[in-house]
Amino acid sequence: MTEAAAGAAPVSSLQSHNFHDANFPTDAEGRVYHVGVKKGEVANRILSVGSEARAAVIASFLDSPEKTFVKRSSRGFVTYTGTRNGVPVSIIVTGMGVSMIDFVVRECRAVVSGPLAIVRYGTCGTPVPTVPVGAIAVASAGSVMINTDFDAHDSTDFMYRISKPITPDAELSELVASRLVGAFGEERIVRGLNATGDSFYSSQGRHDDSSDDRNDRLMDTLV
């Protein structure tokens, strides 16, 4: 790998005195503040994953893993860029949460010219009992966002706001689904609506006796 072997890539250093434009910080090389990449280091096709170990496994399937560009930023992002079947692609470790994805989308957009396609690949659960463990879910209907409503903390037993669905790019979503069907069969693929939350615990309906989450009705409200 061009910068360093996976798991041993140095942390990029962005010194505050090199920042240009506090509104959208970049260093003297044009590297964005959080993801730590510059123009030419990110492909137009991005696969976003939460787990660094998962990203390393996926990167091993690139055409020439030993030549793959690797960048590890000081903020926990890791970028692998190479080709798959001759097509440039980047695999970016985004960690968990909407804020981390926001960094990736905005900062990669700033250093990539032309169309930008981003697909998120990860694990999920479901409140639908008929969906078996091991099914592959495609958020063809888009996603809703579950946010904690802190203003309601003193006045109600339900403290969550659920957004209206945000739809994906229809062509890209259908392309992902059709390729998965071709690889695994129609019976393995589930299309539906995703829900993401601002917390792994409270906003996803998990119960924690040590916290005042008031989420007993959350799953029923969502479904």
Side-chain angles (χ1 to χ4, degrees):
M1 297 185 176
T2 56
E3 182 161 297
V11 172
S12 63
S13 176
L14 291 173
Q15 301 297 327
S16 59
H17 62 270
N18 288 331
F19 289 166
H20 298 279
D21 184 3
N23 182 65
F24 203 100
T26 58
D27 71 2
E29 294 184 334
R31 295 188 180 280
V32 290
Y33 184 27
H34 302 91
V35 185
V37 291
K38 63 181 181 180
K39 290 183 178 180
E41 295 179 347
V42 180
N44 293 72
R45 295 169 175 83
I46 297 173
L47 186 65
S48 158
V49 299
S51 164
E52 186 171 341
R54 179 178 295 141
V57 171
I58 297 172
S60 71
F61 290 95
L62 295 176
D63 291 335
S64 300
E66 72 281 359
K67 297 180 181 179
T68 298
F69 169 84
V70 183
K71 188 67 177 182
R72 184 185 302 272
S73 82
S74 61
R75 298 304 181 99
F77 297 97
V78 185
T79 300
Y80 298 84
T81 298
T83 62
R84 173 69 176 172
N85 296 329
V87 178
V89 62
S90 291
I91 301 152
I92 301 182
V93 180
T94 55
M96 297 176 66
V98 175
S99 296
M100 298 292 277
I101 291 292
D102 184 68
F103 288 131
V104 170
V105 173
R106 292 177 187 272
E107 295 189 357
C108 288
R109 176 69 282 177
V111 299
V112 174
S113 300
L116 187 63
I118 302 176
V119 173
R120 169 71 176 178
Y121 174 65
T123 54
C124 66
T126 177
V128 182
T130 56
V131 177
V133 174
I136 301 173
V138 179
S140 57
S143 180
V144 297
M145 179 69 189
I146 306 170
N147 286 301
T148 305
D149 182 3
F150 294 104
D151 290 336
H153 189 274
D154 294 329
S155 60
T156 183
D157 61 351
F158 187 76
M159 304 190 306
Y160 301 91
R161 295 172 178 168
I162 301 174
S163 75
K164 295 179 180 179
I166 300 171
T167 57
D169 180 271
E171 183 178 358
L172 179 58
S173 179
E174 182 53 35
L175 181 61
V176 169
S178 63
R179 291 297 179 90
L180 289 170
V181 168
F184 299 101
E186 185 71 51
E187 69 282 354
R188 184 90 181 274
I189 311 305
V190 178
R191 295 172 174 84
L193 179 68
N194 179 63
T196 189
D198 59 3
S199 167
F200 177 81
Y201 294 98
S202 61
S203 299
Q204 293 189 24
R206 292 179 173 86
H207 297 287
D208 177 6
D209 292 338
S210 66
S211 299
D212 182 15
D213 292 325
R214 305 184 208 175
N215 61 1
D216 291 341
R217 294 191 288 114
L218 180 57
M219 287 297 101
D220 289 340
T221 301
L222 182 64
V223 173

